[in-house]
Amino acid sequence: MKKFLEEFKTFALKGNVMDMAIGVIIGGAFSGIVTSLTDNVINPIIACIGGTDVQGKIHLIGDNYIDYGAFISSIINFIIMAFIIFSMLKAINKLMAVGKKPEETAAPTTKVCPFCKSEIALDATRCPHCTSELEK
């Protein structure tokens, strides 16, 4: 049990987990901003242009209703959040790529024997495994 707790502590204190936790907290706060933008700015503009209120409801039996306006607001919220997250990830990936240099592949030092398929030195004239003569 002690080893399990130590492994969990190591996992929880890694940078990736802490970064993810901070991202979730900031994402929650940002979600409130996007919801406010949709409800207080975008929906009234749509209502002015279309001449209809986005906060529409279809009344059913009794006090029950279908709130299609809330559904439309949720779709708008999702589109805005998806666009912003996409833009942020694209910018972060671009920043991460700036610091990296393309990996150079080293010249091969071995080749494969055409007879026994063993790996041998590049400058070998005979295979040390099957003793076959190799072409240059």
Side-chain angles (χ1 to χ4, degrees):
M1 184 68 169
K2 186 176 181 181
K3 183 179 177 185
F4 175 77
L5 290 175
E6 287 179 23
E7 288 177 7
F8 180 74
K9 180 181 172 185
T10 304
F11 168 76
L13 295 179
K14 281 185 180 176
N16 293 342
V17 175
M18 298 304 284
D19 293 343
M20 187 174 66
I22 291 169
V24 168
I25 292 168
I26 291 173
F30 191 70
S31 175
I33 293 171
V34 171
T35 301
S36 176
L37 172 72
T38 304
D39 292 343
N40 300 319
V41 177
I42 295 175
N43 287 349
I45 291 172
I46 292 173
C48 288
I49 293 171
T52 180
D53 188 10
V54 180
Q55 303 299 327
K57 298 177 183 177
I58 298 174
H59 290 280
L60 301 174
I61 300 172
D63 291 336
N64 299 319
Y65 58 88
I66 297 173
D67 192 358
Y68 67 88
F71 181 69
I72 292 171
S73 294
S74 295
I75 291 172
I76 294 171
N77 284 348
F78 173 77
I79 291 170
I80 292 171
M81 288 293 287
F83 176 74
I84 290 171
I85 290 172
F86 171 75
S87 300
M88 288 174 54
L89 285 175
K90 192 169 181 172
I92 289 170
N93 287 339
K94 187 178 276 188
L95 287 174
M96 297 294 277
V98 167
K100 291 184 180 178
K101 294 180 182 176
E103 294 182 17
E104 296 179 18
T105 55
T109 58
T110 61
K111 62 182 177 182
V112 176
C113 173
F115 301 103
C116 69
K117 305 297 183 200
S118 299
E119 192 171 303
I120 57 175
L122 191 60
D123 58 349
T125 56
R126 265 191 197 272
C127 176
H129 304 284
C130 69
T131 67
S132 300
E133 274 194 55
L134 304 171
E135 297 177 10
K136 288 188 179 184

